[in-house]
Amino acid sequence: MKNFFLSKISIISTVLLAALISTSLFISGCNFGNQNKIIGVSMPSKEQQRWTQDGDNIKKQLQAKGYKVELRNAEGDIDKQIAQVQELIDKDCAVIVITAIDGESFTEVLKNAEKKKITVISYDRLISNTPTMDYYLTFDNVEVGVMQAEYIENAFNLKDGNNTIAIEIFSGAMDDSTTPDYYEGQMSILRKYIDNGQVIIRSGQTTLEQTATFDWSGEAAAERLEKIIADYYNNGAKIDAVLSTYDGMSIDMIDTLKAAGYGISSDKPLPVMTGQDCDKASVISIMNNEQSMSVFVDTRTLASRTVEMIDDIMVGKKPAINDSNRYNNGVKNVPAAICSPVLVDKENYRHVLIDSGYYKESDLK
């Protein structure tokens, strides 16, 4: 009888132990244990809509996984961003995600991250000249440029070889690592038309340095366009297309074109105007037949990939990457996870942006 009771106690103990293990695994699977793991996120500016969205999306998704998140925004000040990154290092963050204002300015501060064995992820802008760069997350920026240039190519049937158009090019900021990629994609389509005379750039400003826009500033782009119109399009010549890399520049340049008489009559229509990011103002402009297109880089997708990568890092698993050789930061090839952009125009904006829940109908009024 004694053995019988001992046996029964043993069975009950085994069941209880199994239940405890099962509960522990469930809790682990739900990531509740992440509450003591700090993730640092450094965004560059609040002026551009997408960086506010990116920061909020990353923070929201990380918190849903149980992580504590320290989100910082440098408000366009590189010294402030470096100080904020140092603050995140001092807080012993396990991972720091950085979208750099100036990708060449982090060499010294990231030495401190390396000493603490903190994993550093470049988010959308590659940080250069440092070995302390573990992963890079971005969209295919060359493809963004291709999409923008192909839109112009198709709008004027340049492949037919019969049409000649005048365009002007507005690239991004020179201190942004993505700017050369956009330009590379654009020129991979347009260079042949520039060389054979089908695409005329009356200003003669064709190099990346000549077409760059300080700080991606819409005001700076508009001022340059105003000067180009005054200097090169004052004798009846018209601009047929403006190759703009970013929505925030496109919107201001549309105002400049209107002030110069474009869009008032069918004899002088607004030029084809490209863009990127699908900012609200630009989507509304597309709906109103002003801006022609934008390239959508869904910040939710990039945020999700970032969170997946952090999850993998925290459990010692190698994160999923799809490019090991394309992105060299001057010191090393940085393993990268690349997401695909989507072209948006008046034909598909509703499906891509509203049906997907990125915007509500009321957002675009």
Side-chain angles (χ1 to χ4, degrees):
M1 183 67 72
K2 183 178 178 182
N3 289 336
F4 171 77
F5 283 117
L6 287 174
S7 176
K8 202 153 189 179
I9 290 170
S10 177
I11 292 170
I12 292 171
S13 298
T14 302
V15 171
L16 287 172
L17 180 60
L20 285 170
I21 292 172
S22 176
T23 302
S24 175
L25 289 172
F26 171 78
I27 292 172
S28 175
C30 290
N31 293 303
F32 294 129
N34 291 335
Q35 60 188 338
N36 294 320
K37 298 172 182 176
I38 305 174
I39 308 300
V41 180
S42 173
M43 289 286 116
S45 171
K46 291 181 179 178
E47 289 187 6
Q48 296 178 20
Q49 177 187 316
R50 74 155 297 187
W51 300 129
T52 301
Q53 290 178 325
D54 280 64
D56 290 344
N57 280 331
I58 294 171
K59 182 176 181 178
K60 181 179 179 180
Q61 292 186 37
L62 283 170
Q63 287 178 332
K65 291 272 190 175
Y67 293 101
K68 180 179 178 182
V69 181
E70 294 285 346
L71 174 61
R72 301 288 184 273
N73 192 296
E75 299 177 340
D77 185 333
I78 181 59
D79 291 332
K80 182 174 182 177
Q81 187 172 39
I82 291 171
Q84 288 177 341
V85 169
Q86 181 60 58
E87 180 185 352
L88 295 174
I89 293 169
D90 293 340
K91 284 182 175 290
D92 293 323
C93 292
V95 179
I96 299 178
V97 180
I98 304 170
T99 300
I101 297 171
D102 179 356
E104 297 184 352
S105 299
F106 289 82
T107 305
E108 292 304 315
V109 72
L110 290 183
K111 288 179 181 177
N112 299 326
E114 185 176 14
K115 291 175 184 175
K116 291 195 171 188
K117 301 188 184 303
I118 296 171
T119 300
V120 180
I121 298 173
S122 265
Y123 185 92
D124 204 52
R125 294 176 177 176
L126 184 61
I127 295 175
S128 59
N129 301 326
T130 174
T132 313
M133 185 48 49
D134 298 285
Y135 299 100
Y136 181 37
L137 279 149
T138 191
F139 285 89
D140 189 334
N141 297 316
V142 172
E143 183 61 20
V144 170
V146 168
M147 287 178 169
Q148 292 166 335
E150 282 183 339
Y151 192 89
I152 293 174
E153 178 186 50
N154 295 330
F156 296 98
N157 298 314
L158 293 178
K159 288 181 180 179
D160 292 348
N162 299 319
N163 295 327
T164 300
I165 62 170
I167 77 168
E168 296 296 333
I169 301 171
F170 289 78
S171 303
M174 285 301 295
D175 59 2
D176 187 330
S177 65
T178 63
T179 294
D181 292 338
Y182 299 133
Y183 181 82
E184 177 188 337
Q186 293 161 350
M187 289 300 107
S188 71
I189 302 300
L190 292 182
R191 177 61 66 189
K192 57 183 175 289
Y193 299 119
I194 295 171
D195 291 344
N196 71 14
Q198 278 186 263
V199 168
I200 299 168
I201 302 175
R202 297 189 188 279
S203 69
Q205 297 168 15
T206 60
T207 68
L208 180 57
E209 291 75 16
Q210 289 172 322
T211 60
T213 306
F214 175 75
D215 199 30
W216 296 92
S217 166
E219 182 179 354
E223 287 177 357
R224 177 171 160 247
L225 178 59
E226 184 177 23
K227 187 175 189 313
I228 286 173
I229 291 172
D231 292 347
Y232 302 100
Y233 295 88
N234 57 1
N235 294 318
K238 292 183 292 188
I239 303 174
D240 297 300
V242 177
L243 179 56
S244 171
T245 305
Y246 164 56
D247 284 349
M249 291 156 34
S250 308
I251 286 295
D252 282 9
M253 287 193 287
I254 288 172
D255 289 340
T256 298
L257 289 161
K258 287 179 178 179
Y262 285 88
I264 296 174
S265 69
S266 58
D267 293 333
K268 197 175 182 181
L270 282 169
V272 167
M273 176 72 72
T274 64
Q276 177 191 185
D277 280 353
C278 287
D279 286 351
K280 289 179 185 179
S282 283
V283 178
I284 293 170
S285 181
I286 289 170
M287 293 164 61
N288 292 333
N289 298 310
E290 294 182 343
Q291 187 169 322
S292 307
M293 61 83 77
S294 185
V295 179
F296 182 45
V297 287
D298 193 338
T299 57
R300 297 168 301 179
T301 300
L302 204 58
S304 295
R305 291 293 296 273
T306 304
V307 173
E308 290 170 6
M309 180 174 282
I310 290 170
D311 261 345
D312 288 339
I313 291 167
M314 298 309 294
V315 298
K317 179 181 176 183
K318 186 176 180 180
I321 60 170
N322 52 18
D323 197 301
S324 300
N325 303 307
R326 180 170 165 183
Y327 296 96
N328 188 289
N329 75 343
V331 176
K332 60 188 275 191
N333 289 335
V334 182
I338 312 301
C339 301
S340 298
V342 178
L343 188 151
V344 169
D345 61 12
K346 193 170 183 179
E347 298 299 317
N348 71 345
Y349 80 88
R350 181 174 295 278
H351 171 69
V352 176
L353 301 173
I354 297 177
D355 293 349
S356 72
Y358 189 78
Y359 287 133
K360 297 176 183 177
E361 194 94 44
S362 58
D363 291 331
L364 303 175
K365 293 181 179 179

